Amino acid sequence: MRFIVAIDGTAGSGKGTIGRAVSRHYNFKYLDTGLLYRAVAFNLRTITTEFSSISEKMILKSIKGIDKNLLELKELRNNEISEIASLLATNFCVREKLLDYQRNFANQKGGTVLDGRDIGTIVCPDADVKVYIDAEEGVRAKRRTIQFKKQNIEVTYQEVLRNLKKRDRQDRNRAIAPMLPSSDALMLDSTNMSIEESLGIIILRINEELKKITLNS
Ligand code: DC
């Protein structure tokens, strides 16, 4: 069996927390695709600061340098890397090179959960369940600031809010694979919802789809 759950949404909307919880619930494999863009940003920063004029060779070198240890680095989460990742995400070559990795991951046997910005629209348009999560930006910034504090990352609410707004604008308005809900996605506004409430709604939807597969097999 192959079963794909695609979770897209705005920065800090809780899609990562929810994606991980869904994967634990069903014992599905999980990929945070934003981390890939962050890892490329981290590696590229050691080669250049001119992110608007990067070569294919530099991109390939940065992608080759991605490994499990890098993906676990706390520094990948900071505001500076977030901003570079969002900028690099406008680059066609970066997106194209990361596409194969994401699709290979999604298509493994068993269930997979991927979260990002273009999973339901570009990476896995045939995903079994698609979700798009958003929340008011003030609420997202507050949640993110609390997360940073827990990880001992020094940052103010105002800095986080500025970063979220800038990235949302950039991610939404880029020419290639913009952040956008797929027309068949379950739309979730988590402004006034707990993680458990959002998770409950998504689980109901996944169960419905899993039931259809069982009935048809
Ligand atoms: O999900 P995140 O905040 O960690 O993602 C960091 C940046 O990476 C985000 O601002 C835009 C980019 N990104 C993307 O363009 N497409 C994805 N599927 C995931 C992330």
Side-chain angles (χ1 to χ4, degrees), residues 56-161:
E56 185 173 354
K57 202 171 151 203
M58 286 165 146
I59 295 169
L60 284 173
K61 190 171 176 214
S62 304
I63 293 179
K64 233 175 139 191
I66 299 178
D67 61 20
K68 200 169 167 284
N69 287 338
L70 175 62
L71 294 178
E72 281 169 8
L73 265 192
K74 191 175 102 178
E75 284 78 4
L76 291 195
R77 310 274 176 185
N78 71 32
N79 277 342
E80 186 200 353
I81 296 295
S82 303
E83 280 195 26
I84 304 173
S86 177
L87 182 65
L88 290 175
T90 63
N91 182 300
F92 174 74
C93 187
V94 172
R95 301 204 75 83
E96 201 194 16
K97 303 278 180 246
L98 290 177
L99 200 54
D100 275 354
Y101 183 92
Q102 297 172 78
R103 285 195 176 142
N104 286 339
F105 181 92
N107 286 306
Q108 1 175 8
K109 260 194 167 168
T112 51
V113 182
L114 289 88
D115 86 59
R117 304 288 189 293
D118 61 338
I119 309 301
T121 49
I122 307 287
V123 180
C124 306
D126 58 347
D128 298 272
V129 173
K130 297 180 187 176
V131 184
Y132 188 92
I133 311 179
D134 198 0
E136 276 171 16
E137 54 192 23
V139 170
R140 291 188 276 128
K142 201 168 152 196
R143 289 180 190 154
R144 257 286 146 90
T145 311
I146 294 170
Q147 251 176 15
F148 279 140
K149 292 260 149 72
K150 279 189 190 152
Q151 297 164 349
N152 291 323
I153 298 176
E154 273 305 312
V155 74
T156 66
Y157 167 82
Q158 285 305 334
E159 283 166 344
V160 176
L161 183 63

Side-chain angles (χ1 to χ4, degrees), residues 8 11 15 32-35 37-38 82 85-86 89 95 102 115-119 144 167 171 174:
D8 291 302
K15 59 192 185 322
D32 172 351
T33 65
L35 261 192
Y37 288 88
R38 288 170 183 272
S82 303
S86 177
R95 301 204 75 83
Q102 297 172 78
D115 86 59
R117 304 288 189 293
D118 61 338
I119 309 301
R144 257 286 146 90
R167 284 201 292 139
D171 295 343
R174 66 180 173 228

